[in-house]
Amino acid sequence: MSEGRSGAGSNNSAPTVLRMILGRRLQERRQDAGASLEDAARALRVKTLTIRRLEKAEVALKPLYVEKLLETYGADRQEIDEFVALAERANQPGWWHAYRDVLPNWFSAYVSLETGARTLRTYEPHYVTGLLQTHAYARGVLRGGFPNDTDEELDRRVDLRLRRQGLLARPEAPTLWVVMEEAVLHRVVGGPEVMREQIERLLEVSELEHVSVDVVPFTAGAHVGVCAPFTYFRFEEPELPDIVYTEILSGAMYLDQRSDVSAHLEAHNRMSLLTSDADSRALLHRMRKEYS
């Protein structure tokens, strides 16, 4: 997954986080051995582009390719066997693969990153972030986004969104820090009852130790984050860089260049300073009353 890669229109299977990690390790093993991309390509009798794509996790890690490359890099049998076993695991589709009929490939990568992240920071100017949506709110948002869906397709999209939320209940749940605009609470999705239930959900999850919900009030005026929604991912594994996902109308972009990631992280930090936990909760309580 490279900086500036657009997910729209891609036909490749989205990489799992494990495949991304192994791709990075394969690159590091090659570099440690002093082998060039051309050396690796000759060993497999393929083009250098194939080696690049293997190392960037853009294609599946074929066990025979992995074994031959590691032999070329001077790895011992134990290291090769362990790496091949991990590669076979990494090539197995994630649980979200079962929803591929309603899950665009460019968003499959997002679900993989979300599942493997240690920290998530999101900015949402339009809707409550998917990980915190109630069933009724999610259905309203998705019905608006996919007006031509059949009821069955819509049900599957909602089911996928709610299943993603299971990561917040894991024993080692990631930290989730949400910054949203007050406009999100005024955009009526599904009617007053749905909105009240959704706000109650936000109040409930904001009490969790690993979840923060900041609401930037209208009174904050113009600020650095008035832009498209984005999510920042950080991982425990040292092989993976911090990654930012941002949406466009027909797809998404995944950014891992340090300057891009730093700009989004700074924007998130600055926006969080425009409110406080107490003020955010007070605003949520006030909006809940308005929908009563």
Side-chain angles (χ1 to χ4, degrees):
M1 185 172 300
S2 60
E3 178 273 326
R5 171 176 293 277
S6 173
S10 173
N11 292 319
N12 297 325
S13 62
T16 61
V17 166
L18 178 56
R19 197 168 93 195
M20 293 168 62
I21 292 169
L22 294 181
R24 297 264 176 169
R25 288 182 183 173
L26 204 58
Q27 180 184 33
E28 290 173 358
R29 197 65 181 79
R30 174 178 60 78
Q31 293 171 340
D32 290 344
S36 66
L37 287 168
E38 290 74 17
D39 295 331
R42 278 194 296 272
L44 295 184
R45 297 184 179 180
V46 297
K47 296 180 180 179
T48 56
L49 177 60
T50 299
I51 304 300
R52 288 185 185 276
R53 296 183 71 193
L54 282 169
E55 293 180 351
K56 291 181 179 295
E58 293 175 358
V59 293
L61 294 168
K62 295 181 180 180
L64 288 177
Y65 278 10
V66 169
E67 184 171 6
K68 182 62 176 176
L69 287 174
L70 290 176
E71 287 175 351
T72 302
Y73 305 154
D76 60 32
R77 191 70 244 170
Q78 181 178 349
E79 181 182 357
I80 292 173
D81 289 344
E82 290 174 353
F83 203 111
V84 168
L86 287 172
E88 290 173 342
R89 236 181 78 201
N91 288 333
Q92 296 174 1
W95 62 262
W96 53 91
H97 185 70
Y99 294 88
R100 60 191 180 280
D101 55 323
V102 293
L103 181 63
N105 186 65
W106 53 265
F107 198 69
S108 294
Y110 181 98
V111 180
S112 175
L113 294 173
E114 182 180 73
T115 302
R118 186 74 212 126
T119 300
L120 300 99
R121 292 191 183 195
T122 72
Y123 168 64
E124 288 288 350
H126 306 305
Y127 300 105
V128 172
T129 189
L131 287 178
L132 301 183
Q133 291 179 5
T134 64
H135 183 282
Y137 185 93
R139 190 174 182 84
V141 170
L142 290 167
R143 172 60 77 191
F146 300 92
N148 297 321
D149 268 8
T150 64
D151 286 342
E152 182 180 357
E153 289 169 332
L154 184 62
D155 287 343
R156 284 185 57 73
R157 291 189 196 278
V158 173
D159 188 51
L160 168 63
R161 182 156 297 185
L162 296 183
R163 188 169 175 185
R164 285 169 45 209
Q165 297 177 4
L167 69 88
L168 294 178
R170 294 186 321 208
E172 296 296 325
T175 298
L176 174 64
W177 186 355
V178 178
V179 174
M180 68 174 69
E181 298 286 348
E182 182 180 345
V184 170
L185 305 178
H186 291 271
R187 188 184 302 278
V188 181
V189 174
E193 186 175 342
V194 172
M195 291 301 297
R196 184 173 64 255
E197 180 189 40
Q198 179 60 71
I199 291 172
E200 288 172 351
R201 168 69 174 157
L202 293 175
L203 285 166
E204 175 188 333
V205 297
S206 67
E207 295 283 354
L208 297 175
E209 200 171 301
H210 59 291
V211 178
S212 296
V213 179
D214 290 340
V215 184
V216 179
F218 287 140
T219 54
H223 59 80
V224 67
V226 182
C227 58
F230 66 84
T231 301
Y232 160 93
F233 302 95
R234 172 164 286 180
F235 307 89
E236 281 187 339
E237 296 80 5
E239 295 90 348
L240 287 182
D242 295 349
I243 294 173
V244 167
Y245 161 95
T246 185
E247 295 180 354
I248 56 177
L249 184 61
S250 58
M253 303 219 23
Y254 294 87
L255 311 172
D256 59 18
Q257 186 169 311
R258 184 171 297 179
S259 58
D260 292 326
V261 173
S262 295
H264 285 80
L265 188 57
E266 181 180 358
H268 198 277
N269 286 335
R270 286 180 178 274
M271 286 185 289
S272 69
L273 295 175
L274 297 174
T275 184
S276 67
D277 289 344
D279 289 342
S280 293
R281 289 187 63 80
L283 180 52
L284 287 168
H285 279 292
R286 187 165 71 249
M287 290 302 301
R288 182 177 60 177
K289 288 182 181 178
E290 289 194 17
Y291 288 116
S292 297

